[in-house]
């Protein structure tokens, strides 16, 4: 029995690929899932084997058959040369940046980047002598104006965290590559099923696998996928930093991956339905969701992405803190909490104005980031309708 290598180029679908990628049942007695290999020590049968280190596994931190299975799967889905796993999505970002920059370099990060990535740049990178400039997510090829002789890397994230601006990744990558500058993309929102940043010109694509790949809010996990040019830098940073995920977390990533396509389809459909319903509510100023036809980023989303997940923002009209609390505190199905990508619906209020520096946030009222989960969409809408009723009476 041969390994089922799915070939999207010959018309085989991503939903099929995600089920079969990275699995070798007949190398493990026919059991369909790669088991959890726990381990630090790996034994070498001879002195020669120890000296040459030619066996596939040499130490637990480096790789196990479990980490290999997920790395192979994500590399294939992202269309990369290789993937390395990290202990979290934030560790994927920090490992990738530390792999590619040197002291004295300048880097460009999108203003709408995942906020803790900004803290990494402003605190640690600054201390190591790397200067960061934040740029407007809508800059496109205008990014070239910000390049300095020592600019080494551009980080993109589409759509932007919290505010969902779409970025023109091909235009930014073309400008960067003309100057030999690395392009790093945070591809967590789309997952490797709905966007392929390496095909759009990025050199490195990271995933907070904590979100949709794990998919059940029960593990922290990250992945860095590289093209050929970036591979040796990222591999050497992984070695130097000692970043590796736990065995159980890796297994949960593999397990989540198998149902990613079917979960995402539902998150997408319900997310758009809830977003459209919110758009028509009198309490809502606007909804930020690139899959909505009226969204400013819709044309780029349609060009570069093949789908949307369940995460978007609704900006409310001005309202009191008391009314907002009445809305949020009484919700039955939407939990209030960070992270997203699991099966349940979530909501968090946010205000990006204290940390955005290249753009100005102009929400007239509170902004709410919704993650639409796998519940029946009518139940979710009824929950929100009851919330708006409480808001009115507060
Ligand atoms: C959550 C998130 C991360 C970080 O992932 P963790 O696993 O929580 O460290 C990175 N990027 C984006 C866009 C995220 O939403």
């Amino acid at each position: 029995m041969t390994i089922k290598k799915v070939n999207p180029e010959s018309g085989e679908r991503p939903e099929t690929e995600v089920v079969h990628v990275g699995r070798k049942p007949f190398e493990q007695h026919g059991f369909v899932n790669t088991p959890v290999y726990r381990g630090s020590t790996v034994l070498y049968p001879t002195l020669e084997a120890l000296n040459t280190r030619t066996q596939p596994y040499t130490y637990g931190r480096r790789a196990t058959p479990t980490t290999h299975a997920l790395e192979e799967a994500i590399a294939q889905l992202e269309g990369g040369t290789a993937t390395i796993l990290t202990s979290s999505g934030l560790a994927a970002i920090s490992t990738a940046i530390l792999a590619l920059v040197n002291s004295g370099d300048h880097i460009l990060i999108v203003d709408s980047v995942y906020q803790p990535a900004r803290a990494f740049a402003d605190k640690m990178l600054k201390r190591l002598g790397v200067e960061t400039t934040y740029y407007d997510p809508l800059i496109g090829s205008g990014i070239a104006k910000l390049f300095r002789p020592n600019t080494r890397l551009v980080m993109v994230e589409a759509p932007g965290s919290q505010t969902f601006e779409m970025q023109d990744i091909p235009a930014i990558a073309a400008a960067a590559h003309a100057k030999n500058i690395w392009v790093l993309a945070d591809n967590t929102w789309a997952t490797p099923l709905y966007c392929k940043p390496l095909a759009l010109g990025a050199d490195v694509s990271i995933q907070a696998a904590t979100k949709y790949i794990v998919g059940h809010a029960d593990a922290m996990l990250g992945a860095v996928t590289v093209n050929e040019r970036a591979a040796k830098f990222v591999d050497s940073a992984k070695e130097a930093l000692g970043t590796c995920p736990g065995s159980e977390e890796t297994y949960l990533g593999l397990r989540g991956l198998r149902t990613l396509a079917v979960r995402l389809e539902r998150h997408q459909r319900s997310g758009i339905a809830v977003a459209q319903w919110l758009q028509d509510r009198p309490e809502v100023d606007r909804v930020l969701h690139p899959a909505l036809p009226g969204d400013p980023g819709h044309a780029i989303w349609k060009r570069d992405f093949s789908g949307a997940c369940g995460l978007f923002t609704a900006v409310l009209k001005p309202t009191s803190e008391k009314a907002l609390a009445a809305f949020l505190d009484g919700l039955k199905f939407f939990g209030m909490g960070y992270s997203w990508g699991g099966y349940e619906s979530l909501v968090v209020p946010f205000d990006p104005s204290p940390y955005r520096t290249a753009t100005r946030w102009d929400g007239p009222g509170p902004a709410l980031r919704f993650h639409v989960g796998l519940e029946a969409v009518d139940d979710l809408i009824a929950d929100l309708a009851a919330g708006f009723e409480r808001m009115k009476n507060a």
Side-chain angles (χ1 to χ4, degrees):
M1 177 106 193
T2 54
I3 294 161
K4 301 183 196 97
K5 193 102 182 161
V6 177
N7 183 7
E9 262 127 59
S10 73
E12 289 171 344
R13 303 281 307 149
E15 300 91 299
T16 310
E17 192 180 22
V18 85
V19 167
H20 291 285
V21 71
R23 287 201 298 122
K24 297 173 179 120
F26 289 93
E27 289 183 15
Q28 59 221 12
H29 313 287
F31 286 94
V32 297
N33 291 297
T34 308
V36 182
Y37 280 81
R38 301 181 193 283
S40 50
T41 302
V42 177
L43 297 179
Y44 299 81
T46 61
L47 177 63
E48 196 202 344
L50 183 83
N51 286 338
T52 57
R53 291 178 189 247
T54 46
Q55 62 193 42
Y57 300 100
T58 54
Y59 189 53
R61 190 182 59 225
R62 185 93 185 94
T64 70
T66 318
T67 55
H68 253 165
L70 185 55
E71 288 175 344
E72 189 182 314
I74 295 177
Q76 189 177 320
L77 293 168
E78 290 262 10
T81 300
T83 294
I84 67 154
L85 297 177
T86 56
S87 53
S88 69
L90 184 57
I93 294 170
S94 59
T95 303
I97 295 178
L98 289 171
L100 300 172
V101 304
N102 301 304
S103 177
D105 285 347
H106 168 246
I107 67 171
L108 291 162
I109 296 184
V110 65
D111 206 30
S112 49
V113 76
Y114 176 64
Q115 202 269 336
R118 204 173 175 112
F120 168 71
D122 294 345
K123 295 186 178 130
M124 182 156 290
L125 287 180
K126 187 172 178 209
R127 194 158 59 67
L128 298 177
V130 176
E131 191 187 346
T132 303
T133 302
Y134 295 95
Y135 67 89
D136 185 332
L138 306 182
I139 203 165
S141 56
I143 191 97
K145 290 198 202 82
L146 301 179
F147 293 162
R148 302 179 192 170
N150 63 337
T151 304
R152 178 80 58 177
L153 177 140
V154 179
M155 181 169 179
V156 299
E157 181 182 331
S161 272
Q162 299 181 323
T163 44
F164 298 92
E165 300 88 344
M166 286 303 297
Q167 289 199 259
D168 192 338
I169 299 175
I172 291 172
H177 288 159
K179 297 280 177 192
N180 234 343
I181 294 168
W182 297 109
V183 178
L184 162 66
D186 186 329
N187 192 33
T188 303
W189 185 85
T191 85
L193 281 188
Y194 288 167
C195 180
K196 315 272 185 197
L198 300 189
L200 298 177
D203 300 288
V204 181
S205 172
I206 76 96
Q207 281 292 325
T210 306
K211 310 288 167 58
Y212 281 115
I213 292 179
V214 165
H216 295 70
D218 51 3
M220 305 293 302
L221 192 67
V224 187
T225 303
V226 290
N227 64 12
E228 191 133 22
R229 204 161 73 91
K232 68 171 188 287
F233 297 95
V234 172
D235 196 53
S236 122
K238 173 202 157 103
E239 276 300 278
L241 294 168
T243 168
C244 65
S247 315
E248 195 73 41
E249 284 72 11
T250 306
Y251 182 84
L252 290 171
L254 275 165
R255 178 163 159 153
L257 188 69
R258 304 306 168 198
T259 57
L260 180 63
V262 68
R263 284 185 288 110
L264 272 181
E265 229 174 83
R266 177 67 172 267
H267 285 294
Q268 164 167 244
R269 192 158 20 98
S270 298
I272 290 173
V274 173
Q276 281 173 332
W277 181 83
L278 281 166
Q279 215 170 21
D280 292 339
R281 289 292 310 194
E283 300 86 349
V284 174
D285 178 66
R286 62 188 194 271
V287 173
L288 314 176
H289 189 322
L292 297 183
D295 190 88
H298 186 65
I300 291 183
W301 174 79
K302 249 183 126 161
R303 184 191 68 189
D304 294 344
F305 288 53
S306 58
C309 69
L311 193 78
F312 66 89
T313 281
V315 186
L316 303 184
K317 290 178 181 158
T319 186
S320 70
E321 184 75 13
K322 185 165 163 251
L324 182 65
F327 175 83
L328 291 172
D329 294 353
L331 290 172
K332 183 172 176 186
F333 299 120
F334 284 85
M336 220 185 325
Y338 294 98
S339 204
W340 45 277
Y343 47 80
E344 73 167 344
S345 292
L346 298 169
V347 59
V348 274
F350 68 90
D351 175 9
S353 23
Y355 42 86
R356 298 283 166 95
T357 52
T359 54
R360 248 190 74 241
W361 173 245
D362 66 349
L368 300 177
R369 190 190 69 181
F370 287 95
H371 176 252
V372 172
L374 302 178
E375 301 93 336
V377 72
D378 291 347
D379 293 337
L380 296 177
I381 288 175
D383 196 16
L384 296 175
F388 283 130
E389 204 52 35
R390 284 191 304 278
M391 198 168 188
K392 199 168 69 190
N393 299 328

